[in-house]
Amino acid sequence: CHPPGMRKPVSRTMFRAALQLSVSGARSLTRSRPQYTASVAARSYSHGKQETDEEFDARWVTYFSKPDIDAWELRKGMNTLIGYDLVPEPKILDAALRACRRLNDLASAIRILEAVKDKSGPHKEIYPYVLQELQPTLNELGIPTPEELGIDKA
Amino acid sequence: MLASRALVRGLQSGFWRRVSTSSAAWAAHTHDVDVVDCSVPQYNNRLDTPLPDVPFVRNLSAEQKKLKEKEKGSWTQLTKEEKLALYRLTHELSYAEMRQGSKEWMTVLGGIFIFLGFTGLLVWWQRVYVYGDVPHTLSEEWVAQQTQRMIDMRVNPVHGFSHKWDYEKKQWK
């Protein structure tokens, strides 16, 4: 029931994720890029052209990269994105964090990181991977991780 | 019985709600809890809505306003405490705090057991002081005679009552 080329959503990759990790073994996560962070087409029509993952990612990166994005658009975009059954690609999150910077909204940037971790659910390896990919941006913009602020624990 | 239990439970939860919020946090709320204007966007803590419609703290003090101004500059200039303060201005609860449960269920369960126990005491008192004697047909003597008659009549001889009586040895099997 999945069109060819469409990656499985987070909810169905439990076994695949386990297999992925057992295969990678000692290999670092940077080289074996986990496939479950990839995005899937948000709409599953049985007809018509399916949006590829790259198109989906590109669309969202474009959305957040709008130079004069306003606060409402950031909120709407982020809340919608979190509503999908996937963990957004680091490049989308990078664009979103930069949008937060343009809007002078540090709290939202930290919140986005929290949401990514929460969205990963039982797949505990996704969040460290995302942080690793975003580390240059976090350093450049001065965005702390929730762990650094101590809000990852209640 | 049920109504009084619900009343106490309601009082208990209301009590915890008051105690759990300090007066400082209360004053900083964007809304007065008693009067919530549902016609304007409200703040909410939701896991599926990372960026709520409005920030948690709307009425900023002078100090907070200064911090907001500093936020417009490079974030690398902010101290960790300032970053945390900015987060808390916009959000009431972090994801971890939203996810954490409470121990309220223990209170509820304890309350249930207390009231069940109390009810048990009432029922016991009622049994002793309100109910009259049981019918005479339940006296030991009568039951013995009744049992003997049932055996003599061969009640349920195949699988039931009399089947369990050994007619040769005149005892229960």
Side-chain angles (χ1 to χ4, degrees):
Chain A
C1 58
H2 288 292
M6 178 163 145
R7 293 184 180 139
K8 288 196 171 61
V10 174
S11 56
R12 268 173 258 160
T13 53
M14 195 166 72
F15 296 118
R16 183 129 173 238
L19 180 65
Q20 188 99 14
L21 279 175
S22 63
V23 165
S24 23
R27 275 194 279 147
S28 73
L29 212 48
T30 47
R31 283 196 277 144
S32 56
R33 183 169 161 282
Q35 293 179 331
Y36 34 72
T37 56
S39 37
V40 297
R43 308 265 170 107
S44 344
Y45 297 128
S46 58
H47 64 280
K49 188 160 156 294
Q50 292 289 348
E51 186 181 50
T52 67
D53 295 338
E54 289 70 29
E55 285 167 355
F56 178 87
D57 294 345
R59 197 157 54 82
W60 276 102
V61 168
T62 312
Y63 178 89
F64 284 119
S65 302
K66 193 164 95 120
D68 55 348
I69 194 173
D70 67 33
W72 184 93
E73 284 171 356
L74 171 67
R75 288 198 305 272
K76 173 67 179 168
M78 219 42 242
N79 292 338
T80 308
L81 192 57
I82 292 297
Y84 294 152
D85 185 14
L86 52 87
V87 180
E89 279 281 327
K91 57 170 148 349
I92 303 177
L93 298 169
D94 178 83
L97 292 177
R98 291 187 187 280
C100 290
R101 174 64 269 190
R102 291 198 293 284
L103 290 163
N104 301 322
D105 192 351
L106 176 62
S108 293
I110 303 168
R111 191 70 154 185
I112 288 172
L113 294 176
E114 272 192 297
V116 166
K117 181 173 183 193
D118 189 71
K119 198 66 195 168
S120 319
H123 303 277
K124 299 265 186 268
E125 58 289 330
I126 297 182
Y127 181 63
Y129 165 73
V130 167
L131 279 189
Q132 181 193 287
E133 294 291 310
L134 288 177
Q135 205 53 32
T137 308
L138 297 180
N139 293 336
E140 178 196 332
L141 299 178
I143 301 173
T145 65
E147 288 71 31
E148 283 167 23
L149 293 179
I151 53 177
D152 59 320
K153 309 256 176 292
Chain B
M1 226 40 249
L2 280 168
S4 59
R5 193 185 304 164
L7 177 66
V8 173
R9 205 92 49 71
L11 285 173
Q12 281 174 334
S13 64
F15 172 71
W16 296 137
R17 206 156 287 146
R18 292 280 175 278
V19 167
S20 68
T21 315
S22 68
S23 56
W26 206 251
H29 274 196
T30 57
H31 54 265
D32 178 14
V33 185
D34 294 328
V35 180
V36 175
D37 186 357
C38 293
S39 63
V40 296
Q42 296 170 33
Y43 176 80
N44 55 52
N45 291 308
R46 290 183 61 106
L47 296 170
D48 60 7
T49 311
L51 306 180
D53 296 329
V54 294
F56 181 57
V57 179
R58 290 277 219 104
N59 313 316
L60 299 171
S61 69
E63 204 179 285
Q64 289 165 336
K65 286 196 182 121
K66 263 210 300 224
L67 187 55
K68 278 290 188 187
E69 283 302 311
K70 200 172 174 196
E71 194 184 16
K72 295 184 183 164
S74 173
W75 292 338
T76 50
Q77 304 296 318
L78 297 166
T79 68
K80 201 181 279 198
E81 290 72 27
E82 286 173 334
K83 291 178 182 174
L84 187 57
L86 282 169
Y87 181 86
R88 288 291 179 190
L89 280 181
T90 321
H91 301 112
E92 181 189 13
L93 299 175
S94 69
Y95 266 72
E97 285 161 1
M98 278 194 264
R99 282 215 171 261
Q100 91 188 132
S102 72
K103 297 214 164 78
E104 192 190 0
W105 66 273
M106 295 185 197
T107 311
V108 169
L109 211 58
I112 293 173
F113 288 143
I114 286 171
F115 280 102
L116 279 177
F118 180 67
T119 309
L121 286 173
L122 287 182
V123 169
W124 188 7
W125 176 88
Q126 184 183 268
R127 169 67 186 83
V128 169
Y129 288 103
V130 175
Y131 289 170
D133 286 333
V134 292
H136 67 100
T137 50
L138 291 172
S139 68
E140 274 210 32
E141 203 184 83
W142 188 282
V143 169
Q145 290 175 349
Q146 176 182 289
T147 315
Q148 181 58 59
R149 183 165 157 76
M150 284 166 77
I151 289 167
D152 295 340
M153 280 200 294
R154 307 281 201 274
V155 166
N156 292 341
V158 182
H159 288 125
F161 190 82
S162 301
H163 165 71
K164 295 185 189 140
W165 178 261
D166 189 337
Y167 283 92
E168 264 92 62
K169 298 195 197 132
K170 302 237 191 298
Q171 63 187 19
W172 292 107
K173 289 184 186 165

